[in-house]
Amino acid sequence: MTQIATARWPGIAHAPRTPLKAHAAKAILKPTVNRVPVRLTFADGNTWGAGSPDSPEMRIVRPRAFFARLGSETKIGFGEAYMAGDWTAGEGTDLAELLTPFAERMATIVPVPLQKFRVFVDKKLPHHQRNSVNGSRKNIEAHYDLSNDLFAEFLDPTMSYSAASFEGPEQELEAAQLRKIDAILDDARVTAGTRVLEIGSGWGALAIRAAQRGAKVTTITISTEQAALAEQRFAEAGVDVDLQLVDYREVTGQYDAIVSIEMIEAVGEEYWGTYFSTIDKLLAPGGRVAIQAITMGHHRYLATRNSYGWIQKYIFPGGLIPSLDAIDQTLDEHTSLTVTNRRSLGQDYARTLRHWRDAFNANWAAINDQGFDETFRRMWEFYLAYCEAGFVTGYLDVFQITMSRPAEG
């Protein structure tokens, strides 16, 4: 067993001592998993699940710790148990393929009579993760400022950290990322001379592509690490881009095109109205907006919007995935904008995530040399596989959404 650094991972190094909750978790999980086509295998030879010998295997390494975590933190403990090594995918089982049957049954995996107890296990987003101006900076720093070198080990050369758009089964990830960017720029009608505002710079790929079209590009970010590398990449590409280290709420001016790729997930429901009304205020007459947004079904959004889960605790502090209905409602209530087109890239995201996970695992030695430990590796492996399963099953989707003012087309 790999030693877990207690100071760095206090909630992972030691399993909670909650025997009653652990017993309850075990009693609930067994009949639940017996309806899922997987195999849960234990060291004593016991097997749970409705799977055949060829089905994905979930190997329970330390049952006592596994059930204690699951019982103590229902929505967080499953992922924490994987981080701790309390369970793992069996030999020959891919982690995303193991998680897929659970993702397919996400809405029904908890028996209906027990769903009324959700109120007792759901925790609200901690106050320190609210996406105020200062809170947003801290939340973004927690993920995007980990290390540019880390992201470079698993992203493609464009350094795009969002869903690609694949033209066919043979297309490489880099080409698919450029195809995604070009589609957003086309939707926003970005050409020579267009005044473009990009909300969320990433590492600069879209800004470079827009500037190469001859557009006048302003891009904003609150990640100092991303800004530093983006500036370097602008210089290497020989493009003139105005990069500003500011929050979207602090932007002024008028723009013919406003683009934003997978930014809304970090805005927070409390600030969706502010986000879209700011876009509306900054958009020049006749302008167009094109965003890329991860979404979930409206019924799932309503069921999870006030809860705090593993992804928010360990990966994206303050994050919340909207539904298309929630976006439409926010636009109606806070802006003069209306949606004119939507394009789904859900299955493309599953494929993108598989590329990232394969590269992350293949380059783990180099990542490890940067100071990231085994617990971090398992955390990111779980995160990437968990998201892949969500997109494969349609539990999650991602859309390129175009908006304009109705009278202007």
Side-chain angles (χ1 to χ4, degrees):
M1 174 184 172
T2 302
Q3 187 68 32
I4 297 173
T6 304
R8 186 172 183 181
W9 306 102
I12 305 301
H14 303 290
R17 296 182 178 180
T18 52
L20 290 178
K21 290 182 178 179
H23 180 75
K26 186 175 183 179
I28 292 171
L29 181 63
K30 186 174 183 179
T32 298
V33 81
N34 282 341
R35 301 192 303 272
V36 180
V38 298
R39 292 175 297 136
L40 265 67
T41 60
F42 297 81
D44 62 6
N46 281 334
T47 301
W48 296 359
S52 67
D54 295 328
S55 298
E57 178 191 3
M58 177 177 171
R59 188 162 59 87
I60 309 301
V61 180
R62 289 184 288 273
R64 182 176 298 178
F66 171 73
F67 289 117
R69 293 184 200 275
L70 202 60
S72 180
E73 294 281 357
T74 304
K75 299 194 69 173
I76 296 173
F78 187 69
E80 288 187 333
Y82 188 81
M83 292 168 64
D86 297 335
W87 70 271
T88 190
E91 186 176 354
T93 293
D94 177 77
L95 182 58
E97 292 175 2
L98 170 60
L99 294 174
T100 294
F102 292 101
E104 288 173 334
R105 296 159 177 79
M106 192 69 77
T108 59
I109 197 165
V110 176
V112 173
L114 296 179
Q115 291 184 16
K116 62 184 178 182
F117 296 109
R118 175 187 292 274
V119 65
F120 298 108
V121 299
D122 276 350
K123 294 183 177 181
K124 291 191 175 182
L125 189 74
H127 184 77
H128 70 270
Q129 286 194 8
R130 288 180 64 246
N131 285 291
S132 61
V133 173
N134 289 332
S136 288
R137 285 191 171 90
K138 292 178 181 178
N139 289 340
I140 291 298
E141 287 171 1
H143 187 81
Y144 293 96
D145 285 1
L146 282 170
S147 162
N148 288 333
D149 292 337
L150 162 68
F151 288 97
E153 289 295 339
F154 70 91
L155 298 180
D156 71 281
T158 71
M159 291 290 285
S160 295
Y161 190 38
S162 53
S165 176
F166 292 91
E167 189 170 20
E170 304 302 321
Q171 189 170 45
E172 297 293 331
L173 179 58
E174 181 179 5
Q177 289 290 11
L178 293 174
R179 184 171 183 263
K180 173 271 301 292
I181 292 170
D182 285 342
I184 286 284
L185 296 177
D186 289 345
D187 288 343
R189 295 178 180 168
V190 174
T191 58
T194 304
R195 296 170 297 172
V196 178
L197 171 65
E198 179 189 21
I199 300 177
S201 306
W203 287 277
L206 184 144
I208 291 171
R209 201 75 167 172
Q212 289 171 340
R213 293 188 177 199
K216 183 179 179 181
V217 183
T218 299
T219 184
I220 66 167
T221 182
I222 53 177
S223 167
T224 55
E225 286 287 315
Q226 286 188 322
L229 183 55
E231 289 279 26
Q232 179 183 324
R233 285 161 58 85
F234 297 154
E236 291 171 352
V239 296
D240 183 17
V241 174
D242 177 21
L243 187 150
Q244 299 179 14
L245 201 61
V246 297
D247 187 90
Y248 69 90
R249 287 160 282 204
E250 301 167 327
V251 179
T252 59
Q254 287 278 282
Y255 300 90
D256 306 307
I258 299 177
V259 294
S260 188
I261 294 183
E262 294 180 26
M263 163 71 184
I264 189 173
E265 305 84 3
V267 168
E269 182 184 41
E270 181 181 1
Y271 297 98
W272 286 345
T274 303
Y275 172 74
F276 282 116
S277 64
T278 299
I279 289 174
D280 194 21
K281 178 186 70 174
L282 297 173
L283 188 67
R288 302 260 288 193
V289 179
I291 70 171
Q292 187 163 302
I294 300 172
T295 66
M296 63 170 59
H298 193 60
H299 66 292
R300 295 304 304 158
Y301 152 73
L302 292 174
T304 61
R305 59 195 285 256
N306 292 318
S307 63
Y308 178 60
W310 183 89
I311 286 282
Q312 292 156 314
K313 181 174 181 178
Y314 288 100
I315 305 298
F316 293 114
L320 178 65
I321 294 173
S323 66
L324 290 174
D325 287 349
I327 291 174
D328 288 344
Q329 182 178 344
T330 304
L331 291 174
D332 288 343
E333 294 177 355
H334 296 276
T335 78
S336 60
L337 301 171
T338 187
V339 172
T340 58
N341 189 52
R342 293 190 181 104
R343 181 187 307 112
S344 172
L345 300 178
Q347 293 309 305
D348 295 80
Y349 217 154
R351 185 171 164 187
T352 303
L353 285 154
R354 176 59 66 97
H355 276 285
W356 291 346
R357 185 159 56 97
D358 288 346
F360 183 90
N361 289 332
N363 297 330
W364 169 246
I367 296 171
N368 190 207
D369 287 343
Q370 294 177 29
F372 297 99
D373 63 14
E374 178 66 13
T375 305
F376 179 89
R377 183 192 72 77
R378 294 184 67 84
M379 177 177 74
W380 269 64
E381 183 181 37
F382 183 81
Y383 149 57
L384 294 171
Y386 176 86
C387 292
E388 181 183 335
F391 285 105
V392 164
T393 60
Y395 180 81
L396 298 175
D397 207 333
V398 60
F399 285 87
Q400 292 186 332
I401 304 172
T402 308
M403 291 166 265
S404 66
R405 297 188 181 100
E408 302 171 342

